[in-house]
Amino acid sequence: MEKNHVFRTSFTSEKKARLIHGAPHGATHQPRIRKEAKTRIQVPQSKETIKGPVSQQTKSGNVKGPRDGDDPVVFVTYTPQDRPKNTSIVDNYPPDPSGDDSEPGVILQTGNDYIRYSNDNGLTFVMLANTDVIDNRFAGGENGDQVMLFVPAINCFVWYLQYVADPASKDGAFRIALAKLSDLTGKVKDVWNVFDFHSSDFGLPGIDFDYPDIAATGSFLYASTGAEGKGRIFVRFPLKDLFAGSVKGEYTPPLSIDSTNVDTDSLRFAHFCQGAGDRGIWAGHIDNSKLRIYEWPDSGALGTHDVSTVTWPNPDPTDYSSVCKNSVDWLSEGGDAEVSALVRRSDELWLAWTASRGAATPSSFKYPQPHVRVATVRMSDWTETAEMQVWNPDYAFAFPDLNVNHRGDVAIAVAFGGPKDFADAAFGILGDFVVWYENASNTALTRWGDYVTVRPCRRNANWFVGFGYYTLRDITVFNVGAYQRPYCVMFARKSDTP
């Protein structure tokens, strides 16, 4: 399909990197204030109906229990986090785990208030407050929503940190931090160079930012964030300039598919495609039978492709609810239909999102719980080639993330929960129709989170690294009554493990 839109881009002023340290001696971590309850996106109803096959049910399996299949997924390492000495960094939720792996063995994992650091391939971790590592004196202070990514092209970790709007200018703000892998092998503090950005840098004075994502090619770091009341902006930074310490950002105007309802538009919370090669890619829903895929080649202009998909259930926002054993709806503030997972495998894009319970049409299969849709799109002619569903009659699935290994296996990270289960995270390989977890949650909260993360393992090309969490009752945690315990897991098929 030909590109049907071309967008003009602009450039920020040049930014200089500066080495930044942790909070001054004696400073205390200030618990963040969640600046928004996530507004559900609204996907229009399609006027056409495209039917497709229904996949077999997906089970959740505990890796400590019986296994199914000839070559199941196994957890090579699994490292949950004990409560840290600084308990203020677990007094707020959700933890929204993001992280990445590198060779020779440095793993970094972030959440809304913490960073976990390992330099022994994930066997042990140190957990610190973000502000112990990066001084919080910027804009209105650090405020959750972060993404951590290893960029092989420059052998660096890149950390996107979101900040509260500047109290004086009301500008939204974010920080791009970069650390060389060679510096991280021995420590996580005093190694980060930062570039600071305000919404005015993107022609949006007084506009707040939220819900970021980043991805990298061989030439660029791509970054995006929601711009309150405007849509979503997309930025790219030359990697060679970031590494050298001086960079300009090339950015789009705020984008949305439905320009009349930008804060509930499906592009509002869009994620990047990982492993996209030589371009930035992201997507949103035109309606529940059509995707709009955005493609920004490293050496070309940003354009779009509209792709028809199998029609999926989208009757009412309340049909995304899922009530756990303690009568808590763990999807009351999230779990809706943004395209949260994209990965490229050769000429294929794999995209995933959460769909509601119910049926797409009166004659279609009726899904008993919210579930995840996975579509594959051929990039040579921008046509959907297959679709599967991650579903089960007893529990809901939500917040998918995808990635691919050297062999071409596509892994999924996903959250699940329902009447017989408390909300939890699980990992697996698509096509097995089973996802795996180790420790089970024993309570649920109304805001489970916004994402979990899966990345390719750098130590073994056929392994994956996942970043998730589970929830434990803990009456000592102020205002929450629970501790959401983050973890890192390396996983692979049994035949690929020692």
Side-chain angles (χ1 to χ4, degrees), residues 1 7 23 49 53 64 95 129 165 169 221 243 248 259 263 274 280 315 326 336-337 339 343 449 458 469 478 488:
M1 181 174 292
F7 299 90
T49 301
K64 296 178 181 178
S169 67
L221 176 74
F243 189 80
K248 287 184 178 181
S259 60
D263 282 337
Q274 298 298 320
N326 59 348
D336 47 356
V339 181
V343 69
R458 313 291 176 182
Y469 64 93
F478 180 67
C488 172

Side-chain angles (χ1 to χ4, degrees), residues 192-483:
W192 295 93
N193 285 293
V194 300
F195 301 85
D196 293 339
F197 294 90
H198 292 86
S199 58
S200 291
D201 293 318
F202 307 97
L204 298 169
I207 299 299
D208 205 1
F209 286 154
D210 196 20
Y211 202 80
D213 198 27
I214 54 176
T217 67
S219 300
F220 289 96
L221 176 74
Y222 285 81
S224 71
T225 182
E228 189 174 21
K230 297 292 184 180
R232 191 168 184 87
I233 63 169
F234 297 84
V235 193
R236 65 183 183 188
F237 306 98
L239 290 176
K240 61 180 180 62
D241 293 346
L242 283 170
F243 189 80
S246 181
V247 69
K248 287 184 178 181
E250 182 182 6
Y251 64 92
T252 69
L255 301 179
S256 58
I257 294 174
D258 181 358
S259 60
T260 62
N261 297 289
V262 296
D263 282 337
T264 57
D265 179 72
S266 68
L267 211 61
R268 177 70 171 82
F269 303 115
H271 288 230
F272 279 114
C273 177
Q274 298 298 320
D278 58 354
R279 65 203 69 189
I281 300 175
W282 60 93
H285 299 286
I286 297 173
D287 56 37
N288 62 326
S289 289
K290 188 169 289 186
L291 290 166
R292 177 161 293 162
I293 299 175
Y294 292 74
E295 181 188 28
W296 196 359
D298 287 355
S299 58
L302 169 64
T304 66
H305 308 274
D306 292 348
V307 179
S308 294
T309 67
V310 173
T311 308
W312 46 277
N314 182 45
D316 188 300
T318 61
D319 279 352
Y320 286 89
S321 64
S322 176
V323 177
C324 291
K325 292 191 292 186
N326 59 348
S327 301
V328 167
D329 178 4
W330 66 284
L331 291 181
S332 65
E333 293 185 55
D336 47 356
E338 70 266 10
V339 181
S340 63
L342 298 88
V343 69
R344 182 177 178 180
R345 188 179 75 172
S346 189
D347 189 46
E348 288 181 335
L349 285 184
W350 291 59
L351 308 93
W353 63 94
T354 309
S356 73
R357 62 169 49 82
T361 68
S363 61
S364 300
F365 178 78
K366 187 174 183 179
Y367 290 90
Q369 300 285 348
H371 62 289
V372 166
R373 315 286 291 198
V374 180
T376 59
V377 173
R378 187 170 53 228
M379 294 175 65
S380 57
D381 61 2
W382 299 100
T383 300
E384 184 181 53
T385 56
E387 186 166 320
M388 70 177 73
Q389 304 85 34
V390 181
W391 72 280
N392 190 284
D394 295 326
Y395 40 80
F397 289 101
F399 308 106
D401 192 32
L402 302 176
N403 228 305
V404 64
N405 66 9
H406 180 74
R407 185 171 51 214
D409 293 330
V410 178
I412 185 169
V414 72
F416 73 95
K420 299 178 182 179
D421 301 271
F422 294 108
D424 218 325
F427 300 84
I429 294 176
L430 286 176
D432 290 359
F433 298 103
V434 58
V435 291
W436 301 92
Y437 66 95
E438 182 152 334
N439 290 105
S441 299
N442 64 17
T443 191
L445 302 172
T446 56
R447 185 175 176 83
W448 189 84
D450 291 325
Y451 44 83
V452 287
T453 305
V454 61
R455 307 285 196 200
C457 177
R458 313 291 176 182
R459 178 162 51 125
N460 187 310
N462 288 332
W463 294 5
F464 295 96
V465 181
F467 301 92
Y469 64 93
Y470 59 98
T471 307
L472 298 178
R473 289 188 296 271
D474 189 338
I475 60 173
T476 67
V477 178
F478 180 67
N479 278 343
V480 179
Y483 170 40

Side-chain angles (χ1 to χ4, degrees), residues 43-89:
V43 178
Q45 293 292 339
S46 174
K47 295 180 181 179
E48 59 182 333
T49 301
I50 304 172
K51 293 188 176 181
V54 177
S55 300
Q56 68 185 70
Q57 297 177 25
T58 302
K59 297 178 291 184
S60 62
N62 190 313
V63 295
K64 296 178 181 178
R67 298 181 178 278
D68 296 325
D70 296 329
D71 199 8
V73 164
V74 297
F75 286 6
V76 183
T77 64
Y78 172 75
T79 318
Q81 178 65 49
D82 291 329
R83 287 197 67 190
K85 293 180 180 179
N86 180 358
T87 57
S88 71
I89 65 178

